[in-house]
Amino acid sequence: MSRQLTLWLRDKLIRSRSLNATRIVAASFAVIILTGALLLTLPAASRSGESAGFFTALFTATSSSCVTGLILVDTWTQWSLFGQVVILVMIQLGGLGFMTILTLFSLATRRRIGLSERLIIVSTLNLNNMDGVVRVVRHALIGTFLLEGAGAVLLALRFIPQAGLARGLWYGLFHAVSGFCNAGFDLLGWRGGAFSSLACCKDDPVVLLTLSALIILGGLGFFVWEDLLECRCWKRLSPYTKIVLMLTAGLLLAGTVFFFLEESHNSATFGDMPLWQKGLNAFFQSVTLRTAGFDAIGQGNLTDSSKALCCIFMLIGGSSGSTAGGVKTATVAVLLLALRASLTGREQVAFRGRAVPFQRVLDAMTLALVVLFLFFGASMTISTLEGLPYLDCAYEVASAMGTAGLTCGLTPGLSRISQGLIIALMYLGRVGILSFSIAFITRNHTPAKLRYPEMRVMIG
């Protein structure tokens, strides 16, 4: 009897978990953003001792909680140590997810994690089932803190000689967390000036490669981590993990080669660099577009072709269940597999002997089309309102929607209406896409009661 009751309760929760998980995700991010905005409004959060104003605080809180990195004021110049701590906490909460942090406290206090909580964690991390969900979260948390700690040490070793012991340690920790969570916030205004980001480190391979490693590992996703930890062999890896690793490597390689060739003759970016530095910055540019948001070369100086590719890369983003944003690599992979199947006349979309369910193909198309329509609509709206070139506006919109945080320098000078639209896009880019993913994974499909006769439609 108890077993039947448990199964019935589980089925009821599964039917309702899509709505519950979506509400919890949306509400948790909203609470984090509003709480952070109120804290950043306090005079103590500003270096000058004067309040930054609610709108600036709200923009910063949204950007940090949604791990975007777009800013209206320079992080180091504007915010005091208290404000920087608030931003860092929001980055960590936004990167790992509110439910993951709650699970950490549950594990620390040895409180049993209930069935409903497990279902929500499965949804928010984009896991396939509840098998070992607590183990996955535990490994994710341990791995996160180990990687952030190692990155903080390496970065601190570079900052301590210039900033002193205390400040060097703080800068190392801040940038390690910001890098792993794909946030793109930096405190290097003390070296390169306001809004300079990593321009002062473009010739520092330790800083750029350390941040690159953190960005890539944070963007792979916790499911990929778990699969690699369990299998440790390419042949035994799940098809999903193989897709993520192959597409991630392909995007990084393609981006590096493209930016190296395209920008090598651009004196405003790579043109005056030695060969090794061109390769390093081309690689870092390709990495940071995975929704990280650190800028070492000045995005406004890129050629139009580079800006167009940047928009594509930022909208793709990282992988499901990761700290990165975007429509995710697996979504793009499914679309590419569907394209291949259509061009070769295959009835099934398949990868290495495994068929992709037709409903997953429709889900990928739905998500991609929604994002594209919103991207083009928002870009044209801002371009029309501000009277600015469309490509630069599209760059800012792609950065907000993909939670990348890279900018051509337009965002601080936009009107309040356009900046408000950027806030909405950052929230939708992080919470909206995640909610779509939760709905796709958890919804139940009921067989159609009616079958309509097929019609012929002219394509092309």
Side-chain angles (χ1 to χ4, degrees):
M1 180 67 180
S2 61
R3 177 177 174 77
Q4 293 177 346
L5 180 61
T6 301
L7 292 175
W8 177 82
L9 179 60
R10 184 193 67 182
D11 293 338
K12 295 293 287 184
L13 286 171
I14 289 176
R15 292 191 188 98
S16 62
R17 68 177 176 170
S18 172
L19 180 60
N20 291 338
T22 302
R23 285 181 175 177
I24 289 176
V25 169
S28 63
F29 272 92
V31 169
I32 294 172
I33 290 170
L34 291 176
T35 302
L38 292 175
L39 291 174
L40 291 177
T41 306
L42 298 175
S46 295
R47 190 178 293 273
S48 64
E50 298 180 0
S51 175
F54 181 73
F55 188 87
T56 299
L58 177 64
F59 192 101
T60 305
T62 305
S63 183
S64 53
S65 298
C66 297
V67 290
T68 304
L70 289 173
I71 52 176
L72 298 183
V73 292
D74 182 73
T75 306
W76 183 84
T77 305
Q78 172 64 40
W79 306 112
S80 66
L81 178 61
F82 171 73
Q84 294 168 15
V85 171
V86 172
I87 291 173
L88 187 66
V89 171
M90 287 190 290
I91 289 173
Q92 191 75 85
L93 289 174
L96 290 180
F98 189 64
M99 285 303 301
T100 306
I101 300 298
L102 288 182
T103 305
L104 172 63
F105 289 108
S106 298
L107 293 174
T109 57
R110 297 184 178 182
R111 185 179 68 85
R112 179 177 175 80
I113 300 176
L115 180 61
S116 60
E117 292 172 296
R118 291 171 186 259
L119 290 169
I120 295 173
I121 294 171
V122 167
S123 301
T124 54
L125 292 183
N126 281 5
L127 302 177
N128 292 326
N129 51 58
M130 289 190 297
D131 294 339
V133 62
V134 177
R135 183 184 72 253
V136 173
V137 173
R138 185 187 294 113
H139 290 167
L141 291 169
I142 294 174
T144 294
F145 296 136
L146 286 177
L147 290 172
E148 289 179 348
V153 171
L154 290 174
L155 293 173
L157 292 176
R158 304 297 291 177
F159 295 143
I160 287 175
Q162 302 163 343
L165 180 61
R167 290 175 63 184
L169 290 172
W170 169 243
Y171 292 161
L173 176 63
F174 187 96
H175 291 92
V177 175
S178 181
F180 181 82
C181 292
N182 282 222
F185 279 81
D186 70 271
L187 299 177
L188 294 177
W190 61 279
R191 285 184 59 184
F195 302 102
S196 61
S197 192
L198 298 187
C200 57
C201 300
K202 61 184 177 183
D203 59 348
D204 192 331
V206 175
V207 172
L208 295 187
L209 292 178
T210 298
L211 288 174
S212 295
L214 291 170
I215 292 165
I216 293 171
L217 291 172
L220 286 177
F222 302 132
F223 178 82
V224 174
W225 286 16
E226 190 69 17
D227 201 20
L228 290 172
L229 186 63
E230 289 183 356
C231 298
R232 303 180 184 180
C233 176
W234 178 260
K235 292 183 178 180
R236 296 175 55 192
L237 293 176
S238 68
Y240 171 78
T241 299
K242 292 180 180 179
I243 286 176
V244 168
L245 294 177
M246 291 173 63
L247 192 57
T248 298
L251 290 172
L252 291 177
L253 178 60
T256 301
V257 173
F258 177 87
F259 291 120
F260 181 85
L261 297 176
E262 179 69 16
E263 298 295 330
S264 286
H265 303 292
N266 184 357
S267 59
T269 54
F270 297 170
D272 299 330
M273 296 180 181
L275 187 62
W276 70 268
Q277 195 173 337
K278 289 180 181 180
L280 174 64
N281 281 271
F283 173 72
F284 186 76
Q285 176 70 11
S286 182
V287 171
T288 195
L289 290 170
R290 312 308 309 284
T291 79
F294 292 110
D295 183 8
I297 58 173
Q299 302 301 300
N301 298 323
L302 293 170
T303 64
D304 287 348
S305 297
S306 293
K307 289 179 182 178
L309 184 66
C310 288
C311 290
I312 296 173
F313 273 37
M314 288 188 291
L315 289 176
I316 293 174
S319 303
S320 299
S322 72
T323 60
V327 298
K328 305 299 187 296
T329 52
T331 303
V332 176
V334 170
L335 294 176
L336 293 176
L337 291 172
L339 175 63
R340 185 187 68 176
S342 178
L343 292 176
T344 56
R346 298 177 182 177
E347 294 185 356
Q348 278 190 320
V349 178
F351 174 76
R352 294 185 178 274
R354 298 288 187 89
V356 179
F358 180 68
Q359 187 60 51
R360 287 290 187 227
V361 178
L362 290 181
D363 291 343
M365 293 175 59
T366 301
L367 179 58
L369 288 174
V370 169
V371 169
L372 286 177
F373 284 143
L374 187 59
F375 165 68
F376 286 117
S379 302
M380 289 186 289
T381 299
I382 293 179
S383 179
T384 302
L385 289 175
E386 306 295 331
L388 296 171
Y390 173 80
L391 185 57
D392 289 342
C393 295
Y395 196 100
E396 305 294 308
V397 170
S399 180
M401 292 185 62
T403 68
L406 291 168
T407 176
C408 291
L410 268 63
T411 298
L414 296 177
S415 65
R416 280 289 188 258
I417 296 177
S418 296
Q419 289 174 351
L421 180 57
I422 294 292
I423 291 177
L425 291 172
M426 288 190 292
Y427 184 79
L428 290 174
R430 184 62 174 168
V431 180
I433 292 178
L434 183 57
S435 298
F436 262 105
S437 302
I438 293 171
F440 290 154
I441 291 173
T442 59
R443 68 186 177 192
N444 293 320
H445 298 282
T446 56
K449 296 181 179 180
L450 295 176
R451 292 287 182 179
Y452 296 100
E454 294 183 352
M455 65 177 180
R456 293 185 177 273
V457 180
M458 299 295 292
I459 302 297

